[in-house]
Amino acid sequence: MPRSPDPVDPSLSPWHLFGAAVRHWRELRGMSLQEVGKKIIFDWSVLARWERGERKPPRDAVERLDYLFEAGGFLVALHAFATAIPTSEPANKAMPEWNPDAMDQLRRQLLTGLAAAGAAAALPPSQGLEHLRALVNSGVGSESLTDWEETAEEYAQAVVTRPRAQVVTDVALDLLVLQKAMRTAVPGPEQTGWLRVNARLTFIMAHCLGADGQKHESRQWWNTARRAAQQSGDHELVAAACGYEAMQALCEQRPAAVIVRLAEAARTAAAGRPSAGVAEAHGAVAQVHARLGDMKTAERALAAQAEVFERLPDVVTGNRMALGGWPEARLLHTRSYVLTYSKNNRAGHAHEEALKSYPAARVRPIAQIQLHQALMQVRSGDLAGGLDHAITVVEGLPSGDRSAFIQRSAADVADAVPARDRSNPQVAEYRRRLGLPIPEGV
């Protein structure tokens, strides 16, 4: 009977991580070391040493492996940033034990490699992140729960303050390390805490991808986030996954029925308990019905949202700089949106209230409110003023802050231009400068 292969610990170095990825893909395809060795024209014993992180494979062999395993470029990318790390030579001697400092050191090494090799190359959004998502779907258990809870909290703030692409890369790497940590036995009482951290980080990944405009990847991660939240047994996390996805679904112009269904799932999960996810769900319902012209339903949803807000704990309403916080600014933002898209003459006052409620550091939501103002200018007949205002707002943002929500609002400004004016060169220039599609015939 053949002996079991030597274990691979991806936490030891980037080359151990690469080796673990090779073994994962090989076993996923049901192939032996001998079979793979014959296919890529390398001795199988050498391949075994690659998997154990003991030797650095040449790029051409990695390309053949990637093609053989149909890994979609993931192995090539992982090899690229491991190569870019100058101190990442394969190690023969294992570390004596797993510890938080080693985890943080590896994380920093990987981020250095991503910066050197290029984040887009290191983690292809469709293949690489999909592979990582598959790993997230399994495993529980480990140590250092408190450290990971703090990490999740830091990412909730990073979503608000840092460029999304950086957060996606960072969270992706920590999720990868977390999966290893969750496969280590932990006391039963801590299991729920680990599941909650896994759910929170997966939720953050889904949100960031959606805000970055990666619709397909985001939708898959939202599916995983909902399942991870359900596994944790935390009703607030389930409500958050459903409620925040409903809001992103609105931005992505998914069917109204889908948005309403997700919002209802958030309310069902909460079972009458107030939470940020439920408040977000009511906001999504209010906004989608305002777009549909159903002001009565939109107003009812606004009232329901206000009622939830009044019942939220101070720790949630007082948190103005983190994902999951739900301050009064969110309530006023929803009202600004509803009154803008329902063409209500009270919209101007709502814009001013919402703008005053946000701290200056919240540049993205402030820009959205300013785009509500631009939309109302265009609708009132001030075409040049509205388009100029919108351009100033969007181009004044760093590229990393131009989220899918910003792009959607900017597109709505152009869509509000009356049919008789859509051939105006200024409209075409507006779309070109902001990277918006130009309709045929314009």
Side-chain angles (χ1 to χ4, degrees), residues 36-356:
V36 174
K38 289 179 181 178
K39 294 284 188 182
I40 68 168
I41 319 175
F42 260 90
D43 188 274
W44 70 268
S45 63
V46 175
L47 177 59
R49 296 188 68 183
W50 294 348
E51 289 190 358
R52 294 195 297 269
E54 295 175 358
R55 287 191 62 177
K56 173 183 173 181
R59 180 180 171 84
D60 61 330
V62 174
E63 290 172 347
R64 293 197 294 274
L65 281 173
D66 197 279
Y67 180 81
L68 177 65
F69 296 151
E70 299 179 352
F74 183 84
L75 293 178
V76 173
L78 197 57
H79 179 269
F81 81 75
T83 301
I85 301 174
T87 59
S88 61
E89 289 301 314
N92 287 303
K93 187 174 181 181
M95 292 172 59
E97 64 180 4
W98 175 264
N99 58 72
D101 291 338
M103 177 188 72
D104 191 56
Q105 182 181 8
L106 171 63
R107 175 176 166 277
R108 281 200 283 248
Q109 280 184 316
L110 294 178
L111 288 174
T112 301
L114 284 172
L123 284 174
S126 57
Q127 288 87 14
L129 288 178
E130 175 58 25
H131 168 63
L132 174 57
R133 189 179 69 85
L135 292 179
V136 173
N137 283 334
S138 63
V140 291
S142 186
E143 70 264 31
S144 306
L145 176 58
T146 301
D147 289 343
W148 279 101
E149 289 173 335
E150 291 177 356
T151 295
E153 189 61 38
E154 289 170 3
Y155 278 130
Q157 296 183 29
V159 169
V160 173
T161 58
R162 290 172 50 195
R164 297 173 311 281
Q166 292 180 11
V167 178
V168 167
T169 300
D170 213 345
V171 174
L173 293 172
D174 269 341
L175 268 171
L176 192 60
V177 177
L178 177 64
Q179 301 319 297
K180 186 273 176 191
M182 292 180 69
R183 286 174 172 80
T184 304
V186 295
E190 283 194 352
Q191 188 176 42
T192 298
W194 281 98
L195 293 172
R196 189 179 296 114
V197 169
N198 191 49
R200 288 191 70 189
L201 291 184
T202 310
F203 163 78
I204 289 169
M205 176 66 86
H207 177 84
C208 286
L209 288 169
D212 201 38
Q214 299 187 49
K215 298 179 184 179
H216 175 74
E217 292 80 6
S218 173
R219 198 168 304 179
Q220 296 302 314
W221 277 85
W222 277 122
N223 290 337
T224 299
R226 279 186 269 111
R227 291 197 300 273
Q230 290 164 357
Q231 188 184 35
S232 75
D234 188 323
H235 66 86
E236 288 192 9
L237 285 176
V238 177
C242 296
Y244 281 81
E245 184 183 4
M247 190 62 76
Q248 283 199 349
L250 175 71
C251 173
E252 295 169 0
Q253 296 185 301
R254 293 168 68 181
V258 171
I259 297 167
V260 172
R261 176 179 59 77
L262 286 167
E264 181 58 34
R267 293 194 294 269
T268 299
R273 293 166 292 219
S275 72
V278 174
E280 198 75 5
H282 284 304
V285 171
Q287 292 181 31
V288 73
H289 283 288
R291 293 186 74 101
L292 294 172
D294 183 355
M295 192 57 185
K296 287 186 178 180
T297 303
E299 287 282 7
R300 285 197 298 270
L302 273 176
Q305 186 183 59
E307 191 272 334
V308 171
F309 173 76
E310 291 298 326
R311 296 170 58 207
L312 289 173
D314 292 344
V315 69
V316 176
T317 59
N319 189 345
R320 305 172 73 192
M321 293 297 293
L323 181 66
W326 223 89
E328 186 181 22
R330 293 293 303 145
L331 187 69
L332 297 174
H333 192 131
T334 305
R335 180 161 292 279
S336 171
Y337 186 107
V338 169
L339 295 181
T340 297
Y341 285 82
S342 61
K343 305 177 184 179
N344 193 291
N345 57 15
R346 293 176 290 157
H349 179 66
H351 299 158
E352 293 301 324
E353 279 193 311
L355 287 172
K356 290 177 183 177

